[in-house]
Amino acid sequence: MKNHMKIEFLSVSQNEALARISVASFISQMNPTMDELTDIKTVVSEAVTNAIIHGYEDKPDQTVLLECAMEDEQIEIIIKDNGIGMADIEQAREPLFTSKPEWERSGMGFTIMENFMDKVEIKSDEGAGTTIRMVKQLTSTRALAN
């Protein structure tokens, strides 16, 4: 089965839960395992939090775009912001690196995404924002019947 959804929401931290729950509800029709569902909710939370805190520097009047697509047993999630972008993606991917040490951020967001998903692609341009694309192949083939 092929399906797709897209939502936009303001860059306020409370909307991180909206994003996580929306993706979880959307992919539930594929009947993922609890571990798969937990992993996916975690990476959505990390990516959205990065967009809000790092991309938009906690400015609440900006927009975060969330897209989710599924086909067969594969899930694709895209989180996009039009914030400040990153000068050095490879540095940002390093465990424990954070652009906001004064906020007591752990710097583990990209590491978590890369460990929980099969593929993580990051595109970023300074002053133009960041797009994170994540793909996971579900191990179960227990998709719910229509």
Side-chain angles (χ1 to χ4, degrees):
M1 172 173 64
K2 187 174 185 174
N3 202 352
H4 179 265
M5 71 119 177
K6 182 191 301 190
I7 60 172
E8 289 184 351
F9 48 87
L10 285 178
S11 56
V12 294
S13 60
Q14 294 86 342
N15 283 339
E16 174 270 325
L18 168 69
R20 188 177 62 238
I21 291 167
S22 297
V23 170
S25 295
F26 181 71
I27 67 168
S28 68
Q29 60 195 291
M30 296 183 74
N31 203 20
T33 66
M34 286 304 295
D35 286 342
E36 291 168 335
L37 190 58
T38 299
D39 288 353
I40 290 165
K41 286 169 42 178
T42 300
V43 300
V44 168
S45 178
E46 292 292 338
V48 169
T49 298
N50 278 357
I52 292 169
I53 290 177
H54 300 287
Y56 290 130
E57 299 186 307
D58 228 15
K59 295 176 185 158
D61 60 343
Q62 304 299 308
T63 302
V64 177
L65 173 68
L66 164 64
E67 293 184 69
C68 186
M70 56 186 162
E71 186 169 5
D72 300 321
E73 285 82 40
Q74 182 171 290
I75 297 167
E76 176 185 43
I77 300 165
I78 297 172
I79 311 284
K80 182 178 187 326
D81 69 67
N82 295 309
I84 63 170
M86 291 182 274
D88 188 340
I89 294 172
E90 291 310 310
Q91 182 184 34
R93 288 178 107 137
E94 289 293 318
L96 305 178
F97 174 80
T98 180
S99 65
K100 302 275 186 239
E102 68 279 8
W103 289 13
E104 298 182 18
R105 306 302 304 171
S106 70
M108 295 299 291
F110 287 129
T111 302
I112 291 168
M113 290 179 227
E114 290 169 341
N115 281 308
F116 287 2
M117 300 298 280
D118 297 325
K119 181 189 277 187
V120 177
E121 297 172 355
I122 305 164
K123 294 182 182 172
S124 190
D125 293 309
E126 280 189 278
T130 301
T131 300
I132 301 172
R133 178 181 174 267
M134 302 175 284
V135 176
K136 185 168 187 76
Q137 186 75 30
L138 297 182
T139 56
S140 63
T141 55
R142 307 172 301 145
L144 298 173
N146 292 338

